[in-house]
mmCIF file of all heavy atoms in Angstrom:
data_model
loop_
_atom_site.group_PDB
_atom_site.id
_atom_site.type_symbol
_atom_site.label_atom_id
_atom_site.label_comp_id
_atom_site.label_asym_id
_atom_site.label_seq_id
_atom_site.Cartn_x
_atom_site.Cartn_y
_atom_site.Cartn_z
ATOM 1 N N LEU A 390 -10.060 -6.578 7.816
ATOM 2 C CA LEU A 390 -11.126 -7.485 8.213
ATOM 3 C C LEU A 390 -11.638 -8.247 6.995
ATOM 4 O O LEU A 390 -11.974 -7.642 5.976
ATOM 5 C CB LEU A 390 -12.267 -6.714 8.866
ATOM 6 C CG LEU A 390 -11.871 -5.893 10.091
ATOM 7 C CD1 LEU A 390 -13.056 -5.071 10.585
ATOM 8 C CD2 LEU A 390 -11.346 -6.797 11.206
ATOM 9 N N THR A 391 -11.679 -9.563 7.101
ATOM 10 C CA THR A 391 -12.128 -10.417 6.011
ATOM 11 C C THR A 391 -13.002 -11.535 6.564
ATOM 12 O O THR A 391 -13.081 -11.727 7.783
ATOM 13 C CB THR A 391 -10.931 -11.057 5.266
ATOM 14 O OG1 THR A 391 -10.404 -12.108 6.085
ATOM 15 C CG2 THR A 391 -9.826 -10.054 4.980
ATOM 16 N N LEU A 392 -13.595 -12.289 5.655
ATOM 17 C CA LEU A 392 -14.369 -13.454 6.087
ATOM 18 C C LEU A 392 -13.486 -14.646 6.387
ATOM 19 O O LEU A 392 -13.991 -15.732 6.698
ATOM 20 C CB LEU A 392 -15.412 -13.826 5.028
ATOM 21 C CG LEU A 392 -16.509 -12.795 4.766
ATOM 22 C CD1 LEU A 392 -17.640 -13.426 3.964
ATOM 23 C CD2 LEU A 392 -17.062 -12.201 6.058
ATOM 24 N N ASN A 393 -12.165 -14.456 6.316
ATOM 25 C CA ASN A 393 -11.241 -15.525 6.698
ATOM 26 C C ASN A 393 -11.051 -15.591 8.209
ATOM 27 O O ASN A 393 -10.328 -16.465 8.706
ATOM 28 C CB ASN A 393 -9.894 -15.318 6.001
ATOM 29 C CG ASN A 393 -10.035 -15.361 4.493
ATOM 30 O OD1 ASN A 393 -10.788 -16.166 3.950
ATOM 31 N ND2 ASN A 393 -9.333 -14.474 3.801
ATOM 32 N N VAL A 394 -11.640 -14.649 8.937
ATOM 33 C CA VAL A 394 -11.644 -14.685 10.403
ATOM 34 C C VAL A 394 -13.081 -14.495 10.876
ATOM 35 O O VAL A 394 -13.953 -14.077 10.113
ATOM 36 C CB VAL A 394 -10.733 -13.588 11.011
ATOM 37 C CG1 VAL A 394 -9.294 -13.777 10.587
ATOM 38 C CG2 VAL A 394 -11.220 -12.188 10.618
ATOM 39 N N ASP A 395 -13.320 -14.795 12.150
ATOM 40 C CA ASP A 395 -14.665 -14.603 12.696
ATOM 41 C C ASP A 395 -14.608 -13.694 13.919
ATOM 42 O O ASP A 395 -13.548 -13.149 14.271
ATOM 43 C CB ASP A 395 -15.322 -15.943 13.032
ATOM 44 C CG ASP A 395 -14.522 -16.763 14.047
ATOM 45 O OD1 ASP A 395 -13.720 -16.190 14.807
ATOM 46 O OD2 ASP A 395 -14.713 -17.997 14.085
ATOM 47 N N GLY A 396 -15.753 -13.523 14.550
ATOM 48 C CA GLY A 396 -15.833 -12.633 15.697
ATOM 49 C C GLY A 396 -14.924 -13.050 16.835
ATOM 50 O O GLY A 396 -14.335 -12.193 17.530
ATOM 51 N N ASP A 397 -14.772 -14.354 17.063
ATOM 52 C CA ASP A 397 -13.878 -14.827 18.123
ATOM 53 C C ASP A 397 -12.426 -14.465 17.826
ATOM 54 O O ASP A 397 -11.668 -14.117 18.742
ATOM 55 C CB ASP A 397 -14.015 -16.338 18.280
ATOM 56 C CG ASP A 397 -15.352 -16.746 18.890
ATOM 57 O OD1 ASP A 397 -16.015 -15.879 19.497
ATOM 58 O OD2 ASP A 397 -15.734 -17.922 18.733
ATOM 59 N N ASP A 398 -12.044 -14.552 16.560
ATOM 60 C CA ASP A 398 -10.680 -14.162 16.182
ATOM 61 C C ASP A 398 -10.440 -12.682 16.451
ATOM 62 O O ASP A 398 -9.370 -12.280 16.927
ATOM 63 C CB ASP A 398 -10.440 -14.440 14.692
ATOM 64 C CG ASP A 398 -10.466 -15.917 14.360
ATOM 65 O OD1 ASP A 398 -9.938 -16.709 15.159
ATOM 66 O OD2 ASP A 398 -11.017 -16.274 13.298
ATOM 67 N N ILE A 399 -11.441 -11.859 16.139
ATOM 68 C CA ILE A 399 -11.308 -10.420 16.362
ATOM 69 C C ILE A 399 -11.203 -10.116 17.850
ATOM 70 O O ILE A 399 -10.381 -9.291 18.292
ATOM 71 C CB ILE A 399 -12.487 -9.668 15.721
ATOM 72 C CG1 ILE A 399 -12.466 -9.852 14.196
ATOM 73 C CG2 ILE A 399 -12.445 -8.180 16.066
ATOM 74 C CD1 ILE A 399 -13.714 -9.381 13.494
ATOM 75 N N ALA A 400 -12.009 -10.798 18.669
ATOM 76 C CA ALA A 400 -11.933 -10.619 20.119
ATOM 77 C C ALA A 400 -10.569 -11.038 20.649
ATOM 78 O O ALA A 400 -9.983 -10.363 21.514
ATOM 79 C CB ALA A 400 -13.045 -11.405 20.801
ATOM 80 N N ALA A 401 -10.034 -12.154 20.118
ATOM 81 C CA ALA A 401 -8.720 -12.626 20.563
ATOM 82 C C ALA A 401 -7.624 -11.643 20.169
ATOM 83 O O ALA A 401 -6.688 -11.399 20.940
ATOM 84 C CB ALA A 401 -8.443 -14.003 19.970
#
Side-chain angles (χ1 to χ4, degrees):
L390 302 175
T391 75
L392 296 194
N393 299 321
V394 299
D395 59 22
D397 290 342
D398 294 320
I399 296 169

